[in-house]
Amino acid sequence: MGNKTTFAHTHIRLLFIHFMQEKILIIGATGQIGTELFVTLQKKFGTDNVIGSDIRTPNNPVFETGIFETLDILDTEKLDEIVTKYQITQVYLLAALLSATAEKRPEFAWRLNMDSLFNVLNLARDKKIRQVFWPSSIAVFGPNSPKENTPQDTVMQPTTVYGISKLAGEQWCQYYHKTYGVDVRSIRYPGLIGYKSEPGGGTTDYAVDIFHKAKANEDYTCFLDKDRGLPMMYMPDAIRATIELMNAPADNIRIRTSYNLGGISFTPSEIYNEIKKHYTDFKIKYEIDFRDEIAQSWPSSIKDNKAQRDWNWKMEFDLPTMVKDMLKHIKTHP
Ligand code: NAD
Ligand code: SER
């Protein structure tokens, strides 16, 4: 009798695990966030259950282990084919043009950033996938938003193509959730800083470039004003936030546009001074370009009390601990 019960329990548990097994597709996987997310999700769900995809062929060794598919997210037939082939349950949609690149190709940026989202949301609406992660950005705010401690809900009048696409995308996420019950979740990432992958054309890229220069014992020329404060976050915190949000019970997710995440707020001169504590000969000069105007339109610090309330968000890295860890791990450019 005891053995029979144990057998039945085991059988039910295995069936449960089978049905709960996530099959994850990352779109835009070879980018700054995708590369790190790919590795972390592989560790959590198993190498065979995470499918990386991108329009680019990967050149980072992390993609040598696991499954990778070449995909242009605007190709809906190929997207459908991959979702069916691997029985995908979750999609992390990371393909986009970022703020600085988008200003150079505004119409294409709008098309890529919006159509990619529709293509994935429609899969969820049609019940072909169960859950979607799509990142928004601090770029949804504009010059009329409060600059310091910017709250979740406030004036949002972005002045960049990128910001306009992110704000529109947030509203579509909420619409698909309310109208079709789509489980789509989102974070307004601050500028992200990591050492495992390169940033892809954003205004906050300076905060990664500066580490490469310091490590190579070269001077750094910064394209932002020395006092331009921006919210930033260390990649391990950002990846953890993403996975914690995706794992939170659906009932806790009260915001279906996108959650503010605060991160660490600093200026170029503040991060320079922190790096200089480790590299005392390190020098910086400033040659401001169009990206400073973009940065000027964004908040310098963000209030994330709603993320704390709904899914217990807590950041770990501050400026000194992030700088120390970056300098320990970052490799110089070849
Ligand atoms: P990234 O530019 O490094 O990566 C984007 C990836 O998308 C690239 O690998 C690119 O090849 C791929 N891609 C472009 N067009 C594609 C297409 N048609 N089909 C498939 N793939 C395509 O960007 P990231 O920094 O990793 O950002 C990922 C997402 O997070 C974006 O939506 C971005 O707006 C958002 N975000 C990033 C930051 C940040 O600081 N990195 C901050 C806020 C929001
Ligand atoms: N880091 C991004 C950018 O600078 C902000 O979303 O474009």
Side-chain angles (χ1 to χ4, degrees):
M1 181 69 183
N3 277 351
K4 268 189 187 167
T5 315
T6 312
F7 177 78
H9 279 164
T10 309
H11 195 66
I12 289 166
R13 196 171 60 83
L14 286 176
L15 270 175
F16 183 70
I17 288 169
H18 173 75
F19 285 116
M20 286 304 290
Q21 182 60 67
E22 298 290 1
K23 283 275 185 180
I24 299 168
L25 175 65
I26 306 175
I27 302 168
T30 73
Q32 191 194 12
I33 302 172
T35 304
E36 301 228 14
L37 199 57
F38 183 70
V39 178
T40 311
L41 289 173
Q42 275 187 333
K43 280 188 193 139
K44 190 169 164 56
F45 292 97
T47 314
D48 294 343
N49 296 316
V50 182
I51 291 84
S53 74
D54 204 292
I55 199 167
R56 292 190 288 188
T57 310
N59 60 6
N60 192 313
V62 304
F63 293 100
E64 282 162 17
T65 314
I67 308 169
F68 186 88
E69 292 274 355
T70 302
L71 170 69
D72 177 351
I73 181 56
L74 300 179
D75 181 348
T76 46
E77 255 176 53
K78 180 86 190 272
L79 173 65
D80 222 70
E81 196 184 298
I82 292 172
V83 165
T84 309
K85 178 175 167 188
Y86 295 101
Q87 300 190 312
I88 298 297
T89 58
Q90 277 187 346
V91 170
Y92 288 74
L93 171 57
L94 304 176
L97 283 201
L98 273 75
S99 59
T101 319
E103 287 308 301
K104 293 179 182 159
R105 301 181 68 194
E107 285 180 36
F108 177 69
W110 174 256
R111 182 164 163 248
L112 175 64
N113 293 5
M114 299 314 300
D115 286 1
S116 57
L117 181 58
F118 280 120
N119 291 349
V120 171
L121 287 177
N122 287 342
L123 287 173
R125 178 199 61 196
D126 299 343
K127 311 281 182 245
K128 292 179 180 167
I129 55 173
R130 190 181 64 74
Q131 206 181 22
V132 177
F133 176 80
W134 172 82
S136 184
S137 160
I138 51 167
V140 291
F141 300 109
N144 300 328
S145 311
K147 204 93 202 118
E148 299 291 343
N149 234 358
T150 310
Q152 176 73 36
D153 300 302
T154 184
V155 177
M156 282 190 259
Q157 294 168 338
T159 48
T160 60
V161 180
Y162 176 70
I164 297 168
S165 73
K166 290 295 183 188
L167 184 57
E170 286 190 4
Q171 297 302 314
W172 279 112
C173 288
Q174 180 169 259
Y175 181 88
Y176 269 67
H177 175 72
K178 281 199 169 143
T179 313
Y180 307 116
V182 167
D183 187 359
V184 52
R185 305 178 184 201
S186 178
I187 285 173
R188 290 174 183 153
Y189 287 131
L192 300 182
I193 301 169
Y195 57 87
K196 291 183 186 160
S197 50
E198 297 298 313
T203 302
T204 57
D205 294 10
Y206 93 87
V208 178
D209 300 342
I210 194 170
F211 284 99
H212 285 289
K213 291 292 183 187
K215 193 84 181 195
N217 293 314
E218 289 175 23
D219 298 350
Y220 179 60
T221 306
C222 183
F223 54 78
L224 296 188
D225 185 274
K226 70 178 182 32
D227 297 322
R228 188 70 60 227
L230 284 174
M232 303 278 188
M233 182 172 279
Y234 197 31
M235 197 61 92
D237 272 338
I239 298 293
R240 186 170 52 81
T242 307
I243 293 171
E244 284 178 9
L245 171 67
M246 287 297 271
N247 284 342
D251 288 349
N252 291 18
I253 308 303
R254 286 189 257 176
I255 292 169
R256 291 293 181 160
T257 50
S258 189
Y259 279 96
N260 269 13
L261 268 203
I264 320 161
S265 289
F266 56 79
T267 63
S269 111
E270 284 165 344
I271 192 172
Y272 164 71
N273 286 328
E274 195 58 43
I275 294 173
K276 207 169 152 43
K277 288 181 189 165
H278 304 263
Y279 285 78
T280 48
D281 293 335
F282 186 42
K283 291 194 177 55
I284 191 167
K285 65 178 170 153
Y286 296 89
E287 282 175 17
I288 290 162
D289 69 21
F290 73 100
R291 288 169 283 189
D292 190 57
E293 200 179 319
I294 298 178
Q296 203 173 354
S297 74
W298 292 348
S300 25
S301 61
I302 297 272
K303 189 171 173 181
D304 62 12
N305 55 320
K306 300 275 168 78
Q308 294 175 33
R309 176 198 71 187
D310 289 358
W311 41 282
N312 299 321
W313 168 243
K314 200 166 185 302
M315 189 184 68
E316 277 177 10
F317 286 87
D318 60 11
L319 182 59
T321 50
M322 185 266 288
V323 166
K324 197 166 164 215
D325 205 60
M326 275 294 281
L327 289 173
K328 184 172 161 200
H329 291 105
I330 199 165
K331 299 205 169 41
T332 51
H333 280 132

